[in-house]
């Protein structure tokens, strides 16, 4: 089994990366593989809602979105990490995830997801609230920890000094591994995915 992580920071070796790595090391200790996917350093195009998504993802083949979607098809779970600059997730990770989920929501369905927010000080829980919306609209079980999935640090690498934050990352990984193993056992026992309704879209604007 494998967890695909997304680093939403421009800094490939910044605090968001170190928080994800802490979770990754614990996942590996639990027998779960992981990969950290770094969003490209160049600006990320927004989703425009053009409705021209392809079977491979977004019609625009830039920003690494379709590469991520291809990896997501093979992944069993996800952890999305974001730095917090102005009390919300980075604009780049929101643009990236908007395109990934708008074009390929089915790729993520019924796979556990978790969000991680890293900040110097404030805005982490507000950022988690935004990030969790992607899971809530895509039939994804949400993985939690022993505290909100947050860690604090300013200079790159400083987050590793946040002992409670690192503990939270490790417990998040333990919970993710446990959930993945439970799902695998359920599948082996013949438990089917739920049959969902679709088609109803209430619109009160006439």
């Amino acid at each position: 089994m494998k967890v695909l992580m997304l680093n939403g920071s421009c800094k490939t070796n910044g605090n968001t990366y170190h928080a994800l790595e802490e979770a990754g090391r614990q996942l590996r200790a639990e027998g779960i593989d992981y990969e950290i996917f770094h969003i490209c350093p160049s600006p990320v195009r927004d989703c425009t809602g053009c409705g021209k998504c392809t079977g491979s993802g977004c019609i625009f083949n830039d920003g690494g979105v379709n590469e991520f979607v291809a990896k997501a098809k093979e992944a069993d779970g996800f952890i999305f990490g974001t730095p917090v600059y102005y009390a919300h997730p980075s604009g780049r990770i929101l643009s990236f995830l908007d395109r990934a989920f708008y074009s390929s929501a089915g790729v993520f369905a019924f796979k556990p997801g978790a969000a991680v927010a890293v900040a110097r000080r404030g805005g982490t829980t507000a950022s988690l609230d935004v990030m969790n919306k992607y899971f809530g609209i895509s039939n994804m079980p949400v993985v939690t920890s022993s505290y909100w999935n947050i860690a604090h640090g300013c200079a790159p690498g400083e987050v590793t000094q946040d002992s409670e934050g690192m503990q939270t990352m490790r417990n998040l990984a333990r919970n993710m591994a446990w959930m993945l193993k439970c799902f695998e056992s359920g599948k082996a026992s013949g438990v089917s995915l739920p049959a969902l309704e679709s088609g109803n879209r209430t619109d009160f604007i006439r």
Side-chain angles (χ1 to χ4, degrees), residues 11-201:
K11 300 173 183 175
T12 56
N13 199 37
N15 284 317
T16 304
Y17 165 77
H18 285 288
L20 293 175
E21 266 292 305
E22 188 71 13
R25 282 189 288 269
Q26 186 62 47
L27 280 172
R28 194 154 283 164
E30 302 286 333
I32 307 294
D33 196 13
Y34 76 98
E35 176 185 354
I36 298 178
F37 187 98
H38 300 278
I39 296 179
C40 66
S42 57
V44 178
R45 183 197 302 263
D46 287 338
C47 177
T48 61
C50 68
K52 297 179 181 179
C53 311
T54 70
S56 300
C58 181
I59 191 172
F60 299 107
N61 194 28
D62 60 0
V65 172
N66 292 340
E67 181 184 354
F68 179 78
V69 166
K71 289 178 178 291
K73 291 177 181 178
E74 306 302 321
D76 300 290
F78 303 92
I79 300 178
F80 302 148
T82 183
V84 180
Y85 300 136
Y86 287 97
H88 58 77
S90 70
R92 63 192 295 101
I93 196 170
L94 294 182
S95 293
F96 189 97
L97 290 176
D98 279 358
R99 288 171 61 195
F101 275 80
Y102 192 89
S103 66
S104 308
V107 169
F108 302 94
F110 306 111
K111 298 178 181 180
V116 168
V118 179
R120 182 192 70 82
R121 189 166 176 83
T124 49
T125 53
S127 295
L128 288 182
D129 180 64
V130 173
M131 298 285 283
N132 284 337
K133 298 293 196 301
Y134 292 100
F135 310 134
I137 199 174
S138 303
N139 297 301
M140 297 176 68
V142 179
V143 184
T144 58
S145 185
S146 49
Y147 194 75
W148 294 289
N149 305 335
I150 64 177
H152 294 87
C154 185
E158 196 171 57
V159 72
T160 60
Q161 300 175 39
D162 178 3
S163 60
E164 186 174 5
M166 294 299 96
Q167 174 181 271
T168 300
M169 296 302 114
R170 293 190 296 272
N171 285 337
L172 172 63
R174 290 184 177 100
N175 289 344
M176 171 70 79
W178 172 79
M179 189 178 288
L180 286 172
K181 292 171 184 177
C182 287
F183 285 6
E184 190 71 13
S185 295
K187 187 188 303 181
S189 299
V191 178
S192 302
L193 294 176
L196 303 179
E197 295 184 34
S198 63
N200 289 322
R201 295 174 63 93

